[in-house]
Amino acid sequence: MEIEKKESHKTILKTTGVFGFAQLLKILVGLVSSKFVALFLGTTGIGVVGLLQNTLSIITSLTGFGINISGVRMVALSYSENNQREFSKTILALKRWSILTGILGVLLTLILAKSLSIWTFGSSDYVNWFFILSINFMFSSLAVNEMVVLQGTRSMKAIALSTVIYAILATFVTIPIYYFFRMDGIVAVLVLTTVLNYLVNWFFSRKIEIIPVQVSVKEALSRGIEMIQLGFLLSINVIFGQIMSYLLKLYFNFQNTSDSVLGLYVVASTLLITYVGMIFSAMSTDFYPRLTVVQKVNSQVKEMVNDQIEVALLLITPLILGFYFLAPVVVRLLYSKDFLNVVLILKLALLAIIVKAIIWPLAFIILAKGEKKLYFKQELIGDAMNIGFTILFYEYFGLIGIGLA
């Protein structure tokens, strides 16, 4: 038992190390990108980027059926059976669903372009932005498909490399566009980085061996039923979460204060999710497919989750403590002095990350076992509490209240 525990810890640390290093390189590249973006766009521009990204995320969630999560489960289970023919059929069916969801995203954005412009910016002047951004959904859907295959087959080195390479290429694209066009370059950056993401993911996933197979429309539908059933509820959860986030950003956007509260909120979220959350991102890439394979054996699930919690706490606690004391320096380095009030949000918000280290691995049990309704309820309540507490505490305590929420 002790030997198995050591091996489990070793596996977790190895995969976390690979992805952690990749995330660290990504962050170092992001230091350059975010610094220039902050200088060229300012708090207002970054707020606009956040609003657009949120809008795109809502549509992606609405038309994506949660394939980015349920697809990993399907691929992981198929890959674990060591049946090349069945695995190839699963991949082909998944690709067809990805193309379909991409087309749905494009059509929905084109239909709602004028409404999206009014809802987001209070004017129809930006309708052309959404016409152009509709292209994103086809490429983002295809990019998700390639990443799902990589994650489901636990192609760890490929995922790590693709993460770093994409970050470097995206930086080379982003900085010149924002330098020359400032806020007018936001749409071009969003489109080009999405295309880049797909190309990088495709380059690495093409190396995964599949054999030529035929999959009828009926069989593709049949294979996708379980994935879509789980994914549909996941997508509703994500849609609700994105709508809550969208409403929060609209609320902050209309706050008449000396600072752009929206920009500060977007930066705080980025620091917590992208930078501090890199440990969770690194672990989940391998943890979820591994847990899916053993999900029917509760004793193994329990051991795997406990091991993951132990390692998560060991890794995240010193990172949070360091970030807590160095937050002002980090904000200046990543952005500019105009964003220093973000520290007021981070003071309390950082403590939540330590709690998340315990809660986060437990949530994957529900996903791995395909407990759709339970996951749906849990996420729904969490998202509703998020927007309620954030607005309430901001009204009473200001920026510190956002962190408290």
Side-chain angles (χ1 to χ4, degrees), residues 74-91 153 209-213 219 223:
M74 185 175 76
V75 172
L77 290 172
S78 177
Y79 187 68
S80 66
E81 294 173 358
N82 294 317
N83 186 324
Q84 188 67 26
R85 183 174 179 79
E86 289 301 307
F87 171 70
S88 298
K89 285 188 173 186
T90 298
I91 298 300
T153 56
E209 186 180 351
I210 58 173
I211 60 174
V213 289
E219 189 176 0
R223 287 177 176 273

Side-chain angles (χ1 to χ4, degrees), residues 149-380:
V149 174
L150 288 172
Q151 194 173 346
T153 56
R154 297 181 63 200
S155 304
M156 301 308 156
K157 290 183 180 179
I159 299 174
L161 280 171
S162 67
T163 300
V164 175
I165 291 172
Y166 166 68
I168 294 171
L169 292 175
T171 299
F172 278 117
V173 167
T174 300
I175 294 175
I177 292 176
Y178 282 146
Y179 175 75
F180 287 108
F181 301 101
R182 305 296 163 125
M183 288 184 64
D184 289 334
I186 290 175
V187 172
V189 166
L190 290 174
V191 172
L192 290 175
T193 51
T194 302
V195 174
L196 271 177
N197 189 30
Y198 162 65
L199 292 174
V200 172
N201 289 354
W202 167 80
F203 178 80
F204 285 97
S205 68
R206 68 190 174 87
K207 298 177 182 179
I208 294 173
E209 186 180 351
I210 58 173
I211 60 174
V213 289
Q214 294 293 326
V215 178
S216 65
V217 174
K218 183 179 179 180
E219 189 176 0
L221 287 172
S222 175
R223 287 177 176 273
I225 284 176
E226 183 182 356
M227 179 182 69
I228 297 303
Q229 283 178 337
L230 173 60
F232 179 69
L233 280 181
L234 292 178
S235 65
I236 292 176
N237 278 140
V238 176
I239 291 164
F240 187 76
Q242 291 292 349
I243 290 174
M244 293 298 101
S245 179
Y246 179 69
L247 292 175
L248 270 178
K249 287 173 182 173
L250 287 179
Y251 166 76
F252 289 133
N253 194 40
F254 293 107
Q255 298 302 308
N256 294 315
T257 60
S258 56
D259 286 320
S260 170
V261 181
L262 173 61
L264 297 176
Y265 175 73
V266 169
V267 167
S269 300
T270 301
L271 289 170
L272 290 170
I273 296 169
T274 303
Y275 297 112
V276 178
M278 70 175 181
I279 297 293
F280 299 114
S281 176
M283 288 190 292
S284 66
T285 307
D286 181 59
F287 177 58
Y288 179 35
R290 280 199 303 126
L291 191 66
T292 297
V293 173
V294 301
Q295 45 95 11
K296 291 184 179 178
V297 186
N298 286 334
S299 59
Q300 290 186 38
V301 169
K302 182 180 177 181
E303 288 176 17
M304 194 176 291
V305 169
N306 285 339
D307 291 343
Q308 195 75 40
I309 291 173
E310 289 176 18
V311 174
L313 286 171
L314 286 170
L315 292 175
I316 207 74
T317 304
L319 178 65
I320 292 300
L321 291 174
F323 202 88
Y324 186 85
F325 291 109
L326 295 174
V329 178
V330 172
V331 171
R332 276 181 177 271
L333 184 64
L334 286 172
Y335 298 95
S336 70
K337 64 180 182 180
D338 295 335
F339 292 84
L340 278 176
N341 279 338
V342 168
V343 176
L344 295 173
I345 300 175
L346 296 177
K347 279 185 176 180
L348 291 175
L350 283 168
L351 299 176
I353 304 297
I354 296 177
V355 179
K356 184 179 178 179
I358 300 170
I359 298 171
W360 172 85
L362 297 173
F364 278 97
I365 298 175
I366 302 171
L367 282 176
K369 288 182 173 289
E371 295 286 346
K372 303 178 286 291
K373 293 181 180 179
L374 183 58
Y375 188 83
F376 177 75
K377 292 176 184 176
Q378 131 183 321
E379 291 297 302
L380 214 61

